[in-house]
Amino acid sequence: MEDQEVLSMAQRAASFKVSRFSLVSSGFKAPKRVLGMAVRLAPAIRGMGLSPCVSLGFLSREELKALRDAGVERIHCNLEASPSFFPSICSTHRWSRKLEFIREAAAMGFEVCSGGIMGMGESHEDLVSLGLWSSKLGAVSFPLNVLSPIKGTPMEGRPVTSGEEFLRFSCVLRYLIPTGRIRLAGGRPLIRPFDRTALSGPVDSLMTGDYLTTQGMSFEDDAAMLGELGLKPLGRII
């Protein structure tokens, strides 16, 4: 994407009273061009009343400092799963690498956004462990994703997580992370209408827009849903 395209999207998000705007890349680490774009655009995004978040993989201290100096306050790096289950879904790096990076970012003064994915074959104990580790790391935001079994991927045959199971775990998360933001994230269309139920209970935030490999919900649809629930976007950084 080019600078103006990103800024146009940010401006549109601001018009719907979105409070944070996330700059995301896939892969182990964002290429220099993408990192440079994040550093370059962060001040302009802040100027729109949005807080720029980044999810750019395993960055060095120098790269983190450049983002911090540009006004980025929050780093996103999902733990994804418990330490015992993680090796069964990822072989490119160890779970401990995520732990080290998150701790380093926090030590440099960044807020931490770190959640995970339900529905990959994990146990209830794994989900609780994931929530506990996020809490130990001081995460102020926990994106709760539901796996979308995509054809042609290793997990295409996984059963879809039920809305009831999602709601139960989101309630558990509220006890594990009593003051953090629990955010509806990827896979939301798969659990409807329990996303609405969750927003009336343990969940207090949502990610609106699209994700890396799946479509999410539009600003218009989310604004309509919040209105039907009697909720309003805060329109400020949370």
Side-chain angles (χ1 to χ4, degrees):
M1 300 178 70
E2 300 301 324
D3 286 19
Q4 192 53 52
E5 187 178 3
V6 174
L7 293 176
S8 294
M9 292 179 67
Q11 189 63 62
R12 187 163 183 270
S15 73
F16 281 89
K17 296 186 177 180
V18 170
S19 58
R20 296 185 174 276
F21 189 78
S22 189
L23 301 169
V24 184
S25 71
S26 64
F28 188 80
K29 179 178 180 177
K32 289 184 178 180
R33 184 187 71 83
V34 174
L35 178 67
M37 175 184 286
V39 171
R40 189 167 60 249
L41 299 185
I45 293 171
R46 288 196 68 86
M48 298 176 191
L50 297 165
S51 175
C53 306
V54 298
S55 184
L56 303 175
F58 298 122
L59 304 173
S60 68
R61 286 185 61 85
E62 291 73 21
E63 291 166 333
L64 286 171
K65 183 179 183 301
L67 288 166
R68 187 184 62 191
D69 292 346
V72 174
E73 297 176 346
R74 184 172 294 185
I75 296 288
H76 169 262
C77 180
N78 277 345
L79 289 173
E80 305 297 12
S82 70
S84 60
F85 186 72
F86 187 83
S88 68
I89 59 168
C90 181
S91 60
T92 59
H93 56 280
R94 296 179 179 179
W95 185 89
S96 59
R97 181 68 183 87
K98 287 179 172 287
L99 194 67
E100 292 167 3
F101 174 72
I102 292 170
R103 282 175 168 166
E104 183 171 53
M108 293 183 66
F110 287 99
E111 294 180 343
V112 172
C113 176
S114 185
I117 308 174
M118 295 183 68
M120 299 185 292
E122 71 284 338
S123 67
H124 290 140
E125 289 79 6
D126 286 317
L127 289 174
V128 171
S129 175
L130 170 64
L132 284 171
W133 271 105
S134 182
S135 179
K136 287 179 184 178
L137 289 170
V140 297
S141 174
F142 187 107
L144 182 52
N145 300 273
V146 174
L147 177 74
S148 296
I150 298 175
K151 188 175 181 180
T153 67
M155 294 192 179
E156 64 178 341
R158 292 297 313 166
V160 175
T161 299
S162 70
E164 293 92 338
E165 187 72 9
F166 173 87
L167 185 58
R168 279 194 289 270
F169 181 53
S170 64
C171 288
V172 172
L173 269 182
R174 178 46 69 206
Y175 283 99
L176 299 177
I177 311 173
T179 60
R181 297 284 173 180
I182 299 174
R183 299 183 184 274
L184 292 175
R188 287 171 53 199
L190 301 176
I191 58 164
R192 301 205 109 176
F194 287 89
D195 56 343
R196 294 171 176 244
T197 308
L199 282 167
S200 297
V203 173
D204 55 8
S205 303
L206 55 82
M207 289 189 176
T208 186
D210 294 330
Y211 305 97
L212 283 173
T213 58
T214 59
Q215 288 187 324
M217 308 299 294
S218 70
F219 294 149
E220 290 86 353
D221 287 343
D222 276 338
M225 177 183 68
L226 293 176
E228 291 168 8
L229 292 172
L231 302 172
K232 294 181 180 180
L234 293 181
R236 59 183 175 83
I237 297 173
I238 58 172

PDB file of all heavy atoms in Angstrom, residues 6-25:
ATOM      1  N   VAL A   6      -3.089   4.522   2.833  1.00  0.00           N
ATOM      2  CA  VAL A   6      -3.149   4.247   4.268  1.00  0.00           C
ATOM      3  C   VAL A   6      -3.785   5.424   5.006  1.00  0.00           C
ATOM      4  O   VAL A   6      -4.658   5.247   5.871  1.00  0.00           O
ATOM      5  CB  VAL A   6      -1.744   3.960   4.830  1.00  0.00           C
ATOM      6  CG1 VAL A   6      -1.787   3.814   6.348  1.00  0.00           C
ATOM      7  CG2 VAL A   6      -1.167   2.698   4.200  1.00  0.00           C
ATOM      8  N   LEU A   7      -3.378   6.639   4.677  1.00  0.00           N
ATOM      9  CA  LEU A   7      -3.913   7.817   5.349  1.00  0.00           C
ATOM     10  C   LEU A   7      -5.400   8.002   5.074  1.00  0.00           C
ATOM     11  O   LEU A   7      -6.159   8.435   5.947  1.00  0.00           O
ATOM     12  CB  LEU A   7      -3.132   9.057   4.939  1.00  0.00           C
ATOM     13  CG  LEU A   7      -1.679   9.110   5.418  1.00  0.00           C
ATOM     14  CD1 LEU A   7      -0.981  10.347   4.869  1.00  0.00           C
ATOM     15  CD2 LEU A   7      -1.610   9.097   6.941  1.00  0.00           C
ATOM     16  N   SER A   8      -5.825   7.654   3.863  1.00  0.00           N
ATOM     17  CA  SER A   8      -7.256   7.749   3.537  1.00  0.00           C
ATOM     18  C   SER A   8      -8.065   6.763   4.375  1.00  0.00           C
ATOM     19  O   SER A   8      -9.169   7.088   4.856  1.00  0.00           O
ATOM     20  CB  SER A   8      -7.476   7.474   2.045  1.00  0.00           C
ATOM     21  OG  SER A   8      -6.888   8.485   1.256  1.00  0.00           O
ATOM     22  N   MET A   9      -7.516   5.570   4.554  1.00  0.00           N
ATOM     23  CA  MET A   9      -8.188   4.582   5.393  1.00  0.00           C
ATOM     24  C   MET A   9      -8.243   5.045   6.845  1.00  0.00           C
ATOM     25  O   MET A   9      -9.248   4.869   7.532  1.00  0.00           O
ATOM     26  CB  MET A   9      -7.470   3.241   5.295  1.00  0.00           C
ATOM     27  CG  MET A   9      -7.590   2.569   3.946  1.00  0.00           C
ATOM     28  SD  MET A   9      -6.682   1.003   3.890  1.00  0.00           S
ATOM     29  CE  MET A   9      -7.644   0.018   5.035  1.00  0.00           C
ATOM     30  N   ALA A  10      -7.172   5.645   7.314  1.00  0.00           N
ATOM     31  CA  ALA A  10      -7.143   6.150   8.684  1.00  0.00           C
ATOM     32  C   ALA A  10      -8.171   7.262   8.876  1.00  0.00           C
ATOM     33  O   ALA A  10      -8.877   7.316   9.890  1.00  0.00           O
ATOM     34  CB  ALA A  10      -5.746   6.649   9.033  1.00  0.00           C
ATOM     35  N   GLN A  11      -8.270   8.151   7.894  1.00  0.00           N
ATOM     36  CA  GLN A  11      -9.233   9.239   7.987  1.00  0.00           C
ATOM     37  C   GLN A  11     -10.657   8.710   8.017  1.00  0.00           C
ATOM     38  O   GLN A  11     -11.514   9.200   8.766  1.00  0.00           O
ATOM     39  CB  GLN A  11      -9.063  10.194   6.803  1.00  0.00           C
ATOM     40  CG  GLN A  11      -9.876  11.476   6.924  1.00  0.00           C
ATOM     41  CD  GLN A  11      -9.442  12.300   8.125  1.00  0.00           C
ATOM     42  OE1 GLN A  11      -8.310  12.747   8.201  1.00  0.00           O
ATOM     43  NE2 GLN A  11     -10.342  12.510   9.087  1.00  0.00           N
ATOM     44  N   ARG A  12     -10.914   7.673   7.228  1.00  0.00           N
ATOM     45  CA  ARG A  12     -12.253   7.069   7.226  1.00  0.00           C
ATOM     46  C   ARG A  12     -12.543   6.412   8.571  1.00  0.00           C
ATOM     47  O   ARG A  12     -13.658   6.487   9.085  1.00  0.00           O
ATOM     48  CB  ARG A  12     -12.367   6.048   6.088  1.00  0.00           C
ATOM     49  CG  ARG A  12     -13.770   5.508   5.909  1.00  0.00           C
ATOM     50  CD  ARG A  12     -13.936   4.843   4.560  1.00  0.00           C
ATOM     51  NE  ARG A  12     -15.309   4.401   4.406  1.00  0.00           N
ATOM     52  CZ  ARG A  12     -15.749   3.198   4.784  1.00  0.00           C
ATOM     53  NH1 ARG A  12     -14.901   2.324   5.313  1.00  0.00           N
ATOM     54  NH2 ARG A  12     -17.017   2.854   4.627  1.00  0.00           N
ATOM     55  N   ALA A  13     -11.536   5.735   9.139  1.00  0.00           N
ATOM     56  CA  ALA A  13     -11.710   5.122  10.454  1.00  0.00           C
ATOM     57  C   ALA A  13     -12.046   6.191  11.495  1.00  0.00           C
ATOM     58  O   ALA A  13     -12.934   6.008  12.332  1.00  0.00           O
ATOM     59  CB  ALA A  13     -10.449   4.360  10.851  1.00  0.00           C
ATOM     60  N   ALA A  14     -11.344   7.306  11.439  1.00  0.00           N
ATOM     61  CA  ALA A  14     -11.584   8.389  12.397  1.00  0.00           C
ATOM     62  C   ALA A  14     -13.005   8.928  12.274  1.00  0.00           C
ATOM     63  O   ALA A  14     -13.624   9.316  13.271  1.00  0.00           O
ATOM     64  CB  ALA A  14     -10.563   9.507  12.187  1.00  0.00           C
ATOM     65  N   SER A  15     -13.535   8.937  11.061  1.00  0.00           N
ATOM     66  CA  SER A  15     -14.891   9.457  10.855  1.00  0.00           C
ATOM     67  C   SER A  15     -15.946   8.581  11.523  1.00  0.00           C
ATOM     68  O   SER A  15     -17.063   9.027  11.782  1.00  0.00           O
ATOM     69  CB  SER A  15     -15.185   9.582   9.354  1.00  0.00           C
ATOM     70  OG  SER A  15     -15.371   8.307   8.756  1.00  0.00           O
ATOM     71  N   PHE A  16     -15.607   7.321  11.795  1.00  0.00           N
ATOM     72  CA  PHE A  16     -16.514   6.417  12.496  1.00  0.00           C
ATOM     73  C   PHE A  16     -16.190   6.335  13.991  1.00  0.00           C
ATOM     74  O   PHE A  16     -16.641   5.437  14.679  1.00  0.00           O
ATOM     75  CB  PHE A  16     -16.457   5.021  11.871  1.00  0.00           C
ATOM     76  CG  PHE A  16     -17.255   4.887  10.608  1.00  0.00           C
ATOM     77  CD1 PHE A  16     -16.679   5.164   9.380  1.00  0.00           C
ATOM     78  CD2 PHE A  16     -18.588   4.509  10.650  1.00  0.00           C
ATOM     79  CE1 PHE A  16     -17.415   5.045   8.206  1.00  0.00           C
ATOM     80  CE2 PHE A  16     -19.335   4.401   9.490  1.00  0.00           C
ATOM     81  CZ  PHE A  16     -18.744   4.658   8.264  1.00  0.00           C
ATOM     82  N   LYS A  17     -15.389   7.266  14.464  1.00  0.00           N
ATOM     83  CA  LYS A  17     -15.013   7.359  15.881  1.00  0.00           C
ATOM     84  C   LYS A  17     -14.226   6.133  16.348  1.00  0.00           C
ATOM     85  O   LYS A  17     -14.303   5.747  17.520  1.00  0.00           O
ATOM     86  CB  LYS A  17     -16.244   7.586  16.755  1.00  0.00           C
ATOM     87  CG  LYS A  17     -16.942   8.910  16.468  1.00  0.00           C
ATOM     88  CD  LYS A  17     -18.067   9.173  17.442  1.00  0.00           C
ATOM     89  CE  LYS A  17     -18.713  10.531  17.179  1.00  0.00           C
ATOM     90  NZ  LYS A  17     -19.824  10.813  18.121  1.00  0.00           N
ATOM     91  N   VAL A  18     -13.485   5.526  15.429  1.00  0.00           N
ATOM     92  CA  VAL A  18     -12.539   4.489  15.818  1.00  0.00           C
ATOM     93  C   VAL A  18     -11.426   5.154  16.624  1.00  0.00           C
ATOM     94  O   VAL A  18     -11.033   6.281  16.337  1.00  0.00           O
ATOM     95  CB  VAL A  18     -11.958   3.795  14.559  1.00  0.00           C
ATOM     96  CG1 VAL A  18     -10.807   2.879  14.927  1.00  0.00           C
ATOM     97  CG2 VAL A  18     -13.057   3.017  13.841  1.00  0.00           C
ATOM     98  N   SER A  19     -10.924   4.476  17.653  1.00  0.00           N
ATOM     99  CA  SER A  19      -9.936   5.129  18.521  1.00  0.00           C
ATOM    100  C   SER A  19      -8.498   4.753  18.184  1.00  0.00           C
ATOM    101  O   SER A  19      -7.581   5.512  18.470  1.00  0.00           O
ATOM    102  CB  SER A  19     -10.216   4.794  19.993  1.00  0.00           C
ATOM    103  OG  SER A  19     -10.200   3.398  20.200  1.00  0.00           O
ATOM    104  N   ARG A  20      -8.303   3.568  17.589  1.00  0.00           N
ATOM    105  CA  ARG A  20      -6.943   3.121  17.260  1.00  0.00           C
ATOM    106  C   ARG A  20      -6.892   2.651  15.811  1.00  0.00           C
ATOM    107  O   ARG A  20      -7.862   2.111  15.288  1.00  0.00           O
ATOM    108  CB  ARG A  20      -6.500   1.995  18.195  1.00  0.00           C
ATOM    109  CG  ARG A  20      -6.398   2.443  19.634  1.00  0.00           C
ATOM    110  CD  ARG A  20      -5.849   1.352  20.548  1.00  0.00           C
ATOM    111  NE  ARG A  20      -5.652   1.890  21.889  1.00  0.00           N
ATOM    112  CZ  ARG A  20      -4.577   2.548  22.272  1.00  0.00           C
ATOM    113  NH1 ARG A  20      -3.568   2.718  21.436  1.00  0.00           N
ATOM    114  NH2 ARG A  20      -4.482   3.014  23.489  1.00  0.00           N
ATOM    115  N   PHE A  21      -5.736   2.838  15.193  1.00  0.00           N
ATOM    116  CA  PHE A  21      -5.549   2.431  13.798  1.00  0.00           C
ATOM    117  C   PHE A  21      -4.292   1.572  13.730  1.00  0.00           C
ATOM    118  O   PHE A  21      -3.204   2.017  14.102  1.00  0.00           O
ATOM    119  CB  PHE A  21      -5.404   3.662  12.901  1.00  0.00           C
ATOM    120  CG  PHE A  21      -5.434   3.332  11.435  1.00  0.00           C
ATOM    121  CD1 PHE A  21      -6.629   3.070  10.792  1.00  0.00           C
ATOM    122  CD2 PHE A  21      -4.257   3.290  10.699  1.00  0.00           C
ATOM    123  CE1 PHE A  21      -6.651   2.769   9.424  1.00  0.00           C
ATOM    124  CE2 PHE A  21      -4.268   3.002   9.352  1.00  0.00           C
ATOM    125  CZ  PHE A  21      -5.472   2.739   8.711  1.00  0.00           C
ATOM    126  N   SER A  22      -4.445   0.335  13.278  1.00  0.00           N
ATOM    127  CA  SER A  22      -3.343  -0.619  13.334  1.00  0.00           C
ATOM    128  C   SER A  22      -2.654  -0.784  11.986  1.00  0.00           C
ATOM    129  O   SER A  22      -3.301  -1.002  10.959  1.00  0.00           O
ATOM    130  CB  SER A  22      -3.868  -1.983  13.803  1.00  0.00           C
ATOM    131  OG  SER A  22      -2.798  -2.859  14.062  1.00  0.00           O
ATOM    132  N   LEU A  23      -1.334  -0.682  12.014  1.00  0.00           N
ATOM    133  CA  LEU A  23      -0.502  -0.901  10.830  1.00  0.00           C
ATOM    134  C   LEU A  23       0.102  -2.297  10.955  1.00  0.00           C
ATOM    135  O   LEU A  23       0.874  -2.557  11.873  1.00  0.00           O
ATOM    136  CB  LEU A  23       0.592   0.163  10.753  1.00  0.00           C
ATOM    137  CG  LEU A  23       0.087   1.605  10.683  1.00  0.00           C
ATOM    138  CD1 LEU A  23       1.239   2.595  10.879  1.00  0.00           C
ATOM    139  CD2 LEU A  23      -0.603   1.873   9.357  1.00  0.00           C
ATOM    140  N   VAL A  24      -0.262  -3.190  10.034  1.00  0.00           N
ATOM    141  CA  VAL A  24       0.036  -4.612  10.200  1.00  0.00           C
ATOM    142  C   VAL A  24       0.724  -5.173   8.957  1.00  0.00           C
ATOM    143  O   VAL A  24       0.368  -4.844   7.835  1.00  0.00           O
ATOM    144  CB  VAL A  24      -1.268  -5.409  10.440  1.00  0.00           C
ATOM    145  CG1 VAL A  24      -0.972  -6.877  10.711  1.00  0.00           C
ATOM    146  CG2 VAL A  24      -2.059  -4.799  11.588  1.00  0.00           C
ATOM    147  N   SER A  25       1.700  -6.028   9.182  1.00  0.00           N
ATOM    148  CA  SER A  25       2.303  -6.787   8.089  1.00  0.00           C
ATOM    149  C   SER A  25       2.340  -8.258   8.493  1.00  0.00           C
ATOM    150  O   SER A  25       2.319  -8.589   9.679  1.00  0.00           O
ATOM    151  CB  SER A  25       3.729  -6.295   7.793  1.00  0.00           C
ATOM    152  OG  SER A  25       4.604  -6.663   8.843  1.00  0.00           O
TER     153      SER A  25
END
